[in-house]
Amino acid sequence: MPSLHRAPSPPRPSPRRVAVRRVALAASVAATVAAGLWARTGLAGTAGDAAGGVLYAVLIYLVLAFAAPRARCTTVAVAAVVLCAGIELFQLTPWPAQWGGQWPPLRLVFGTTFNPWDLPAYGAGAATACLVDALVKNLLQKRRATAGSSRPAVR
């Protein structure tokens, strides 16, 4: 008979750790925006399109992780891919191009034309962001465990 008990959930990070994570995510957003703008102007053709799609998904991942800093990275990655794909499909309508004509920065947010090759780029970007996020979390947990074991006992 299957057990009705849930596995214990991992301990929740302290408010200080959440704040530090949000600062790191905000800095990563700024770096990703800079890299995305460089890719848009500095890379031509397919390389620029692919880099733009990957970095767009990384940016969406970072924004979602900032909004939900305690969420699992896989949950954030799936949400990022779904959101990116939804925006890409929205480009099949005339509205993104019209909005971008009214205010050009919206072109960077919504795009203007549907490109099916952006969909795998979104998956690659969100997966990469999730992997890096998980590796950083794991590294920080190991550092905390090591630092905690080297402290002298308080008596």
Side-chain angles (χ1 to χ4, degrees), residues 53-59 61 81 120-131:
V54 168
L55 290 167
Y56 187 77
V58 169
L59 177 65
Y61 178 96
V81 170
Y122 298 149
T128 301
C130 180
L131 177 64

Side-chain angles (χ1 to χ4, degrees), residues 87-94 96 113-114:
I87 291 170
E88 189 68 32
L89 292 172
F90 186 55
Q91 292 171 6
L92 291 169
T93 71
T113 56
F114 175 78

Side-chain angles (χ1 to χ4, degrees), residues 13-42:
S14 70
R16 181 180 182 284
R17 286 189 183 144
V18 170
V20 168
R21 175 167 167 71
R22 282 193 162 141
V23 168
L25 289 166
S28 298
V29 163
T32 303
V33 168
L37 291 173
W38 173 81
R40 182 168 170 80
T41 59

Side-chain angles (χ1 to χ4, degrees), residues 44-150:
T46 306
D49 288 343
V54 168
L55 290 167
Y56 187 77
V58 169
L59 177 65
I60 297 300
Y61 178 96
L62 294 169
V63 169
L64 292 175
F66 184 90
R70 293 182 176 100
R72 291 179 178 214
C73 67
T74 52
T75 303
V76 176
V78 169
V81 170
V82 168
L83 185 59
C84 289
I87 291 170
E88 189 68 32
L89 292 172
F90 186 55
Q91 292 171 6
L92 291 169
T93 71
W95 296 308
Q98 289 173 356
W99 295 346
Q102 295 295 317
W103 195 49
L106 286 179
R107 290 182 192 167
L108 299 173
V109 176
F110 293 112
T112 56
T113 56
F114 175 78
N115 182 353
W117 291 107
D118 284 342
L119 298 173
Y122 298 149
T128 301
C130 180
L131 177 64
V132 170
D133 194 12
L135 289 172
V136 168
K137 282 181 187 178
N138 193 7
L139 178 67
L140 291 175
Q141 285 174 348
K142 286 181 182 180
R143 278 182 82 193
R144 280 187 216 107
T146 303
S149 66
S150 65

